[in-house]
Amino acid sequence: GRGLADCASTLDINAIQHDVAMGGMTAIYGIGITTITMMGYAVLAALPAFNRSVHPSGYLLLSQFSAYVALEYVEPDRIVTVGSIIGTVPSDSSFARLTQGDRLTVNGLIIAMMLPSGGDAARTLAVEVGRILAEDESITEWSAMERFVEEMNRRAAELGMDGTHFVNPDGYHHEDHYTCLNDLLTIGKLSMENDLIRTISGMKKAT
């Protein structure tokens, strides 16, 4: 159910240019499409579909929510070692080209997961925070990532994002991984209120 037949194919973030102006909202009523520009990205959804669920084909705003949740538990200058979890990223996903054993700050991982939409970076950060949440450094990387995703869903529910469910921290397609336009707006608002995420979102490239 959840209105997927109506709008599952209407959200295609990857197909839209990324270098659009911030902060605008344009409704193209003639073809029933709304374009919302936020954090330098454009998001499409069918009208009226603010509370209908869609399977997002891009990672941008969902990566911002992963970063938002992670930053509730770790400082940007914390050093993280890349583990074997990067091997679980599907081959057709987006990568930041991290290598096992690399050491990056949380800030660096967030840049890597947002600018190139690196699934390897998102999963690495999820493992780090998941082990903090579990209060157990010995759990497997996969279990730690799952714990982080549980926290993403808990926070989403707490924030009233009833049309959203996460299966992974990087936004890779899964039948049970969905969101809706209203919740994307919530994610965008939260991201704009976070100085670090807002700054990284406005970057054209990593420096």
Side-chain angles (χ1 to χ4, degrees):
R2 306 189 68 85
L4 291 176
D6 296 314
C7 62
S9 63
T10 62
L11 182 62
D12 189 357
I13 302 175
N14 281 336
I16 304 170
Q17 293 181 359
H18 294 178
D19 55 345
V20 290
M22 285 181 59
M25 178 182 289
T26 303
I28 311 173
Y29 294 104
I31 57 175
I33 297 291
T34 291
T35 302
I36 295 177
T37 302
M38 185 180 302
M39 305 298 296
Y41 304 125
V43 180
L44 296 185
L47 285 174
F50 278 73
N51 293 307
R52 294 178 186 169
S53 297
V54 295
H55 290 132
S57 61
Y59 315 110
L60 304 173
L61 287 171
L62 299 186
S63 292
Q64 289 176 355
F65 191 69
S66 291
Y68 175 84
V69 173
L71 287 169
E72 293 185 325
Y73 296 96
V74 291
E75 295 296 325
D77 60 354
R78 182 185 179 96
I79 302 296
V80 180
T81 301
V82 178
S84 60
I85 194 69
I86 60 175
T88 69
V89 181
S91 60
D92 61 343
S93 186
S94 297
F95 289 85
R97 298 183 180 180
L98 302 183
T99 301
Q100 188 171 344
D102 286 348
R103 289 169 58 81
L104 294 85
T105 62
V106 167
N107 182 80
L109 282 172
I110 293 175
I111 291 173
M113 64 193 272
M114 288 176 57
L115 294 191
S117 298
D120 45 357
R123 295 189 182 207
T124 296
L125 184 57
V127 168
E128 183 75 7
V129 179
R131 284 176 168 164
I132 292 172
L133 289 164
E135 299 182 342
D136 185 355
E137 290 291 323
S138 68
I139 63 172
T140 67
E141 293 185 27
W142 186 265
S143 294
M145 185 176 73
E146 289 184 325
R147 179 64 186 86
F148 179 75
V149 173
E150 287 177 7
E151 180 64 8
M152 289 179 69
N153 285 314
R154 187 193 72 80
R155 289 292 285 125
E158 192 172 71
L159 291 163
M161 293 164 54
D162 297 329
T164 294
H165 183 261
F166 298 104
V167 175
N168 55 63
D170 50 291
Y172 187 80
H173 178 78
H174 188 284
E175 188 66 24
D176 292 326
H177 191 101
Y178 54 80
T179 188
C180 67
L181 181 55
N182 191 57
D183 291 352
L184 285 175
L185 290 172
T186 297
I187 294 171
K189 181 176 182 293
L190 292 170
S191 298
M192 292 188 74
E193 292 172 350
N194 183 288
D195 291 341
L196 179 60
I197 298 175
R198 184 176 66 249
T199 297
I200 294 173
S201 296
M203 296 169 64
K204 295 297 183 181
K205 62 181 180 179
T207 56

